[in-house]
Amino acid sequence: MHISSVVGKRSAPLQSAYSACKLGIDGFLESLRVELLQEGWNSIGVTNVMPAAINTPFFTKARTKLGVKPKGFPPIYQPGVVADAILYSAEKAPREIVAGGASKGMLLTQRLSPCLMDALMVRGGFGSQMTDEPKSTADPEALFAPKETIQGILTR
């Protein structure tokens, strides 16, 4: 089981590098499934858990050059939504599972009309990911190392 993101199936504006990484995970898992089958490991399930925006410190710790603090696409789901998807996956081993109802709608729209999804992303995909709170490129972030406040917790 791997925890990825729904933007691995439908890339999001302002998240191109993140989306590309998650798309790579999807490709890796597809290969892994086939390799395990070829080796006779039919009983091993490989699941891609794809959460929507989850209420975690992810966006507050992210490096950004937007000039403002980023945020996830609304609605923002609580971590329990992902935990439920993980538990379900551990028992049933689906190929993939989306955690968050809005993301299911996003992926359905993408399948039915990629052009419509593009238009929706242009209309609502930019401002919905930005707060009004300033954040300069010099503000602390956790790209290469944990922030100082987190380092203390990790070293305990």
Side-chain angles (χ1 to χ4, degrees):
M1 176 182 332
H2 183 80
I3 312 303
S4 180
S5 174
V6 72
V7 298
K9 291 288 186 183
R10 168 58 208 212
S11 297
L14 306 177
Q15 296 187 37
S16 58
Y18 182 77
S19 295
C21 291
K22 298 306 180 177
L23 181 60
I25 292 297
D26 193 43
F28 168 75
L29 295 177
E30 292 290 342
S31 294
L32 179 60
R33 277 187 202 98
V34 173
E35 291 169 10
L36 288 170
L37 287 172
Q38 194 274 332
E39 293 291 324
W41 292 94
N42 306 14
S43 61
I44 296 178
V46 177
T47 301
N48 188 5
V49 179
M50 299 176 295
I54 304 298
N55 185 12
T56 67
F58 177 79
F59 292 98
T60 59
K61 308 288 187 242
R63 172 177 280 186
T64 182
K65 296 183 180 185
L66 295 173
V68 295
K69 292 181 181 179
K71 64 179 182 175
F73 278 107
I76 309 292
Y77 295 93
Q78 293 304 313
V81 172
V82 180
D84 290 343
I86 291 168
L87 288 173
Y88 178 84
S89 298
E91 292 177 352
K92 305 291 184 187
R95 289 178 69 88
E96 56 190 28
I97 185 169
V98 177
S103 293
K104 292 175 185 176
M106 183 177 91
L107 294 180
L108 177 62
T109 304
Q110 174 68 19
R111 272 193 300 267
L112 295 175
S113 176
C115 291
L116 174 59
M117 195 65 227
D118 288 348
L120 293 171
M121 287 288 190
V122 167
R123 183 176 179 143
F126 290 86
S128 66
Q129 296 187 80
M130 295 183 239
T131 67
D132 294 331
E133 298 176 55
K135 182 172 181 174
S136 81
T137 55
D139 281 353
E141 41 80 9
L143 180 61
F144 296 111
K147 287 176 69 170
E148 287 180 23
T149 56
I150 303 225
Q151 286 176 334
I153 294 169
L154 296 176
T155 57
R156 286 186 208 172

